[in-house]
Each structure stands twice: as C-alpha cells, then as structure tokens.
Amino acid sequence: MNRRQVLHTLALKGTLASSAALGVLGWQRLALAQKVTAPAVPLPVSPSASGNSKAANPASPVVTSTPMALTPAQSRSFRGWMTRIIAAQLTAGPTPRWQQRDCVGLVRFAVAESLREHDEKWKRANGMLGTALPPEIELDKSTQSVRHQWRLADGSVSAYVSAIEMVQENARFRSKDCNLAAPGDLLFYDQGDAQHLMVWMNSYIAYHTGTVTPTDNGLRAVKLRDLQAWRDTRWHPTQDNPNFAGVYRLNFLSA
C-alpha cells in the first residue's frame, strides 16, 4: 500500500486549536504544506464522470495592486452564480473545462466561472439557457482583477492557489458557527498533514474529495445535520472540533 492509499484510508493526525489561536508559527507550518486531501466518507453524488487532472502552479507575477472589492449588489450576484455553478457540477457532472479537480479546484473554478460574462453561448454550453439565473455581476475595469488573481503567501498572484493560501491570503475568518455562513462561504479544515475546503450552499454543503475515478467524479453534497453526525468527529463543523478552523469569506465580497 502506497502513501496515498494510506492517507486515504487511515485517519490523518494533527490538531488545530482554532483559527484565532494559530499564531505566526501555525500559519508558517500551514503555508509549507501543499497536499490537499478530503474525507473519504461516501455521500450521495451526481452521476459519475471519468477524468483525472493534476494541479499546476504556473509562474506568478509580483502583485502590483490589491483587487477591488465587489459592491454589495455584485457580491450578492456572485454568491448566486457561485452556488448555481457548483450545483450544476453536482447534478450534471463536472464540465470538461474544470480540469483541476480537488476541493480547492472546485472553489477556483466556481469563482472564475461566476466572475465571467454569461452570454447565450455560455448558458447553452452549461445547460442553463432558459433557466432562472442570478443578475449579471457586470465587473468594470477596476474590479476585473478579482478573476484569476489569487494572492499567494510570498506576495505574488496566480490563477492557482492552494487550500491553505485560499483562506490565509484570500479570505477572512468569519466564525466557527455555521449559522453565520452565507452561500459561497468556505469551511476550512486542518487535519495536520492535509487541509480541506467545503462550500456552504445554504441548504447543504458541497465539496470535492480530491480523488477522481472512472466511477466516481469526487463531488459530494451533504446536509449540515448529517455532517455533524459523522462517526469521524474530525469533520464535524462545530466549535468544539479543533480540526475545524471555521467559516471563511472571500476577501473581495462586501456582502
């Protein structure tokens, strides 16, 4: 059995006192880790789709400016688009354009697709033509930088970002109380050697396991009450779980 199989089948060790208690050394430890994994507990999924992908980390230019925040109206539209796009992956299976299929890859893809223009061609390709959709976000030149511009720990920006840097550099801590989460907010877990993201969808939680096989596309949807009842308590999104860092909100959202 190789190391990947061991990590997939055995409990990953490590604790996280809380996001507030990480401190400088804690975040430095997190920033060094690049491996992102996910819980192996099976949940009801959409029809399987085959495909594998490997995440790439392209060279990143130095940050020259800070991305502008969306207005409250744009933020609300963004949340609607992000959850709509993730829901489409769950029900119809991953679109071929989503290539980096893991937990943080789901977030990166949903953000990029939400911030683009959704013309008739896009709607038809994504099976959304003629369906009720959120208002267009209508980014201007000053806010275009939020798309494909993730800040990394070294201060550079890239279209690729790890789960750790997603919350450390591109989101702000909201709470360890899921009742304060809004659609599109992120649930962040630290299992010691690996970190994981889930997306709050309002009536349920969505995530990708990080593993794709010919019979399992890796996408999962779970109700909050069911997640709280998992036998593996490391995945409980509760305040008393040291492995649950809490709910995080993307920095460019103002509402």
Side-chain angles (χ1 to χ4, degrees), residues 153-201:
D154 63 2
S156 62
V157 296
S158 174
Y160 172 87
V161 66
S162 67
I164 297 166
E165 290 170 313
M166 176 71 76
V167 298
Q168 179 185 0
E169 302 292 336
N170 300 277
R172 58 191 184 275
F173 176 73
R174 177 64 174 162
S175 175
K176 289 195 74 172
D177 183 357
C178 288
N179 291 318
L180 298 179
D185 284 350
L186 309 177
L187 280 64
F188 181 62
Y189 293 83
D190 176 44
Q191 304 295 1
D193 294 333
Q195 292 73 43
H196 181 63
L197 288 173
M198 297 182 182
V199 181
W200 183 261
M201 301 285 285

Side-chain angles (χ1 to χ4, degrees), residues 44-247:
V45 297
S46 59
S48 298
S50 60
N52 290 304
S53 64
K54 295 183 178 180
N57 192 355
S60 306
V62 175
V63 174
T64 57
S65 63
T66 301
M68 298 291 290
L70 302 185
T71 66
Q74 288 174 323
S75 297
R76 288 189 291 271
S77 293
F78 169 84
R79 291 183 184 281
W81 278 109
M82 183 174 179
T83 53
R84 183 70 174 83
I85 288 166
I86 291 175
Q89 309 310 302
L90 288 163
T91 57
T95 174
R97 297 196 320 280
W98 173 24
Q99 298 181 351
Q100 297 170 350
R101 296 184 190 171
D102 55 19
C103 67
V104 67
L106 175 61
V107 177
R108 291 195 306 264
F109 173 77
V111 169
E113 289 295 290
S114 298
L115 294 173
R116 63 168 295 160
E117 180 184 355
H118 308 101
D119 56 19
E120 184 173 316
K121 181 179 179 181
W122 183 92
K123 293 175 184 177
R124 182 179 296 107
N126 288 274
M128 297 184 189
L129 193 63
T131 63
L133 295 170
E136 284 296 318
I137 302 174
E138 298 181 352
L139 297 177
D140 55 29
K141 290 184 179 179
S142 66
T143 53
Q144 283 289 342
S145 60
V146 300
R147 188 167 187 259
H148 293 311
Q149 296 293 302
W150 298 109
R151 183 180 177 88
L152 305 183
D154 63 2
S156 62
V157 296
S158 174
Y160 172 87
V161 66
S162 67
I164 297 166
E165 290 170 313
M166 176 71 76
V167 298
Q168 179 185 0
E169 302 292 336
N170 300 277
R172 58 191 184 275
F173 176 73
R174 177 64 174 162
S175 175
K176 289 195 74 172
D177 183 357
C178 288
N179 291 318
L180 298 179
D185 284 350
L186 309 177
L187 280 64
F188 181 62
Y189 293 83
D190 176 44
Q191 304 295 1
D193 294 333
Q195 292 73 43
H196 181 63
L197 288 173
M198 297 182 182
V199 181
W200 183 261
M201 301 285 285
N202 198 32
S203 60
Y204 64 96
I205 296 164
Y207 67 95
H208 193 283
T209 65
T211 300
V212 176
T213 72
T215 59
D216 184 359
N217 62 25
L219 287 164
R220 302 287 190 271
V222 57
K223 295 283 188 180
L224 176 61
R225 64 176 179 271
D226 295 331
L227 186 57
Q228 291 172 332
W230 275 10
R231 178 173 297 180
D232 188 345
T233 59
R234 296 172 306 141
W235 298 106
H236 289 180
T238 55
Q239 298 194 34
D240 60 351
N241 177 15
N243 298 99
F244 176 55
V247 177

